Amino acid sequence: MRGLFSEIAVCRFHRPGGYVARRSVHPVGHVAHLFPGSAIVALAAGILVLILGAGNARADALDDVRARGKLIWGGDEEGGGPYVYPDPDDPRRMIGFEVELSEIIAEELGVRAEFHQADWNTLPNFLDSGEIDIILNGYEWTPQRAGQMLASRPYYIYELQLLASKRDARIQSWDDLVGRPGEALKIGVMQGTAAATYVRGRFGDRVTLVEYDGNTNAMLQTASGVDDATVQDLPIAVFYRTLPQGRDLRFVGDPVGRGYYVMFARMGETRLIEAIDRAIESAFRDGRLRRVYEKYGLWNGTQDGLLDARPESAGIESVRGWRAFVTYSPVLIEAAWTTLKLSFLAMPIAVILGLLVALGRLYGPKMLGVGLSFYVEILRGTPVMLQLLVIYFLLPELLRTIGIGGLDRVTAAVIGLGINYSAYEAEIYRAGLQAIPRGQMEASLALGMTRTQALRIVIVPQALRISLPPVTNDFIALFKDTSICSAIAVVELTKQYNILSNSTGARIELAVMTALLYLLMSYPLSLVARRLERVMAGEVHH
């Protein structure tokens, strides 16, 4: 028996053309296997920030910028236009009004501008670590951010625009977002933005807030009818008005929620921020700023008051230390429950589909085996995130052509994870089935059993027993992969960590709580898998 299980393990990691270690599948009990990768990254980022923060007795940032001859500014081109996005004529070149603004600022400082790509939500981490000098990417001024970073004077005054589908006449004003009693309309926004804060503050639980990783995802889901409306910064709404992402949307009501885009530097970098403030003022007074904004259709009368704009601090106190644990743990626990639901709903789908695929490949007709082999290779050869995006964003488009509505995001996540994992479970079961000696099938047939009876009564039970430890390992790995569902706006544990981390100053406390919750969820399964391994190895007899 030990030899059989060892064969499976070897196949999983080294067998040419067989199993390929697709994720961080570690030996059971290995501590790294207990935490989802994103949680490790979050915790490591927090520790790194502490170390760098403590050890970074940097010279003045402005002197550093001038000494190296370049201003490194952080942004996320995935956010798209009109901020920073690939030039349609030359995708390797970045364009956008913030690209040109960065060049103006750098010119005023006597250096050149250099763009640093990073995920929008993690830009403050890159700023803390010293990878970038400033954040310049549609970051709205908020009291929470102003408490953690040093803000420049505003370089743009934005407002929020409500958008609804042209095919949906229900929403004619902001007040229409409050539906009938018992009905909560779904409002799509980008995660961590002023739009999310505004909708949450104005409508509370009277609407269902859906937070996406990108603005265009929220717009596309509203256009396809999955969400009822979306709230976007006015520059985004204007930029995409004639493009495919926003062509099927209409503007509803007047813009609201005026706010300010500012640049952020590290706390204490006063000279750098003062130099940037002077550069913004200079570019405004000589008309360069207006020419840039007009080029992208962003200039409006509101911008005339840019030099007089002053964000007003609400004096919000950041919650840290033990208070952060008490305040945020209920929200994180609720998100952990979503992680559990995704895992426990997706795994049975993966197990059943995987077993059927393995049986079909080994005992089905030849053409069926070829088709199922193609199924396995497609799922193993494409990222699970891509599969989720197809299921949630593209599949509704196809379903709508035959009169079927789209999937809600949790259902899409469960289906996506279940199908993706079924390919790997199929390979585990295939190895388990092949480990059963051929003589057992022949003996079963000789005793008068049909082929189906032999599989059901003799072969499959033994194969399942052999496959149980690696399947348990995959279940633990599934906890990690649920974090990828944040790409389709499922607020599971890692997503909730990101949301809270961006809106509070308690990144370290949140990272610790998130890692502990993942540990509490995965460690019992790790113990089960470890015991199964010992049982299979003959070290435990009961």
Side-chain angles (χ1 to χ4, degrees):
M1 192 65 72
R2 179 173 187 168
L4 295 178
F5 176 66
S6 298
E7 180 180 344
I8 294 177
V10 170
C11 287
R12 180 171 184 79
F13 292 102
H14 303 295
R15 185 177 180 176
Y19 295 144
V20 176
R22 41 140 187 177
R23 307 177 176 91
S24 54
V25 181
H26 304 283
V28 179
H30 193 292
V31 68
H33 193 64
L34 303 177
F35 299 92
S38 50
I40 291 177
V41 171
L43 184 57
I47 294 172
L48 184 63
V49 166
L50 276 182
I51 294 172
L52 294 177
N56 265 346
R58 300 185 185 90
D60 184 273
L62 182 58
D63 291 338
D64 284 345
V65 168
R66 285 175 170 155
R68 80 169 87 99
K70 60 184 178 184
L71 174 70
I72 304 174
W73 61 284
D76 185 0
E77 60 182 286
E78 188 180 359
Y83 306 92
V84 51
Y85 58 102
D87 184 348
D89 298 326
D90 181 6
R92 291 172 297 184
R93 175 173 170 263
M94 293 295 111
I95 59 176
F97 83 93
E98 289 181 337
V99 175
E100 299 193 29
L101 178 58
S102 71
E103 292 169 351
I104 291 175
I105 300 298
E107 182 183 7
E108 289 287 322
L109 299 181
V111 298
R112 62 182 174 85
E114 181 176 294
F115 174 67
H116 184 98
Q117 166 64 30
D119 181 85
W120 194 81
N121 289 307
T122 62
L123 284 170
N125 291 334
F126 282 90
L127 184 66
D128 281 339
S129 68
E131 291 283 321
I132 58 178
D133 298 310
I134 58 170
I135 297 173
L136 170 53
N137 199 204
Y139 257 58
E140 304 100 343
W141 185 95
T142 66
Q144 291 83 3
R145 286 175 181 154
Q148 303 165 36
M149 301 174 286
L150 198 57
S152 72
R153 69 185 313 155
Y155 63 84
Y156 191 83
I157 302 174
Y158 71 87
E159 294 174 295
L160 302 175
Q161 179 63 53
L162 176 62
L163 302 170
S165 171
K166 290 180 178 177
R167 292 186 292 270
D168 185 356
R170 293 174 301 160
I171 300 173
Q172 298 296 331
S173 70
W174 286 89
D175 293 336
D176 291 338
L177 293 183
V178 181
R180 296 184 298 270
E183 178 189 25
L185 298 185
K186 291 198 291 185
I187 313 301
V189 297
M190 182 174 170
Q191 173 192 331
T193 59
T197 303
Y198 180 84
V199 174
R200 191 181 292 114
R202 175 168 175 175
F203 299 102
D205 57 5
R206 292 179 295 172
V207 301
T208 300
L209 189 64
V210 185
E211 298 192 53
Y212 294 93
D213 285 344
N215 292 300
T216 54
N217 289 339
M219 299 171 75
L220 289 171
Q221 290 304 84
T222 298
S224 66
V226 174
D227 295 337
D228 298 293
T230 179
V231 178
Q232 300 287 337
D233 289 7
L234 189 56
I236 299 169
V238 170
F239 181 80
Y240 286 105
R241 197 170 195 169
T242 58
L243 298 178
Q245 296 91 332
R247 192 176 294 154
D248 294 330
L249 300 175
R250 58 186 172 83
F251 283 41
V252 178
D254 295 325
V256 299
R258 179 176 296 186
Y260 309 101
Y261 290 156
V262 298
M263 303 177 206
F264 284 106
R266 288 179 292 276
M267 279 295 187
E269 305 296 359
T270 307
R271 288 185 63 231
L272 177 60
I273 285 297
E274 289 176 347
I276 290 173
D277 286 348
R278 289 193 295 272
I280 294 173
E281 181 175 353
S282 173
F284 181 86
R285 293 192 185 283
D286 63 21
R288 283 179 292 169
L289 207 56
R290 177 167 182 160
R291 287 195 292 276
V292 170
Y293 292 165
E294 286 179 338
K295 178 178 177 180
Y296 293 91
L298 303 178
W299 183 266
N300 52 37
T302 306
Q303 309 309 318
D304 288 330
L306 196 58
L307 289 187
D308 298 324
R310 291 289 183 274
E312 296 179 1
S313 174
I316 294 179
E317 180 186 359
S318 180
V319 178
R320 301 299 305 271
W322 178 248
R323 284 182 57 204
F325 281 90
V326 175
T327 302
Y328 302 124
S329 58
V331 181
L332 290 175
I333 290 172
E334 186 178 341
W337 173 238
T338 301
T339 295
L340 283 173
K341 284 192 295 185
L342 292 174
S343 303
F344 278 93
L345 290 174
M347 198 62 192
I349 295 175
V351 168
I352 294 171
L353 278 180
L355 181 58
L356 292 176
V357 169
L359 289 171
R361 292 185 67 183
L362 292 176
Y363 299 102
K366 184 176 180 180
M367 288 305 297
L368 177 63
V370 172
L372 292 175
S373 297
F374 188 67
Y375 168 87
V376 170
E377 295 307 323
I378 286 290
L379 291 175
R380 293 198 311 180
T382 55
V384 62
M385 177 183 283
L386 177 62
Q387 295 162 18
L388 287 172
L389 293 175
V390 168
I391 291 173
Y392 188 58
F393 291 111
L394 297 185
L395 188 60
E397 297 286 337
L398 299 177
L399 293 177
R400 199 169 58 221
T401 60
I402 57 176
I404 300 176
L407 300 171
D408 70 76
R409 56 190 186 277
V410 173
T411 303
V414 169
I415 292 175
L417 290 175
I419 291 177
N420 177 267
Y421 265 72
S422 70
Y424 298 96
E425 301 315 300
E427 292 299 86
I428 292 175
Y429 292 132
R430 186 165 68 91
L433 290 166
Q434 289 177 327
I436 306 301
R438 288 177 178 270
Q440 294 200 21
M441 172 63 82
E442 295 168 357
S444 300
L445 296 176
L447 289 174
M449 292 184 184
T450 64
R451 193 177 179 83
T452 302
Q453 286 176 322
L455 285 172
R456 180 169 57 84
I457 299 173
V458 179
I459 307 299
V460 171
Q462 295 183 76
L464 290 179
R465 191 165 56 132
I466 295 170
S467 305
L468 197 53
V471 169
T472 307
N473 279 343
D474 259 7
F475 193 19
I476 298 171
L478 184 56
F479 280 101
K480 174 188 66 180
D481 281 354
T482 56
S483 62
I484 206 74
C485 298
S486 62
I488 57 173
V490 175
V491 184
E492 42 68 56
L493 185 52
T494 300
K495 176 84 168 183
Q496 189 64 67
Y497 161 78
N498 281 329
I499 293 173
L500 292 176
S501 178
N502 287 324
S503 59
T504 72
R507 289 202 292 267
I508 303 300
E509 295 89 337
L510 291 168
V512 170
M513 282 190 282
T514 301
L516 286 176
L517 285 170
Y518 274 119
L519 177 62
L520 289 174
M521 289 188 291
S522 60
Y523 188 61
L525 284 173
S526 178
L527 293 178
V528 171
R530 190 182 306 169
R531 181 171 179 79
L532 287 173
E533 277 192 339
R534 294 176 60 194
V535 169
M536 300 298 290
E539 298 173 5
V540 178
H541 302 288
H542 60 275

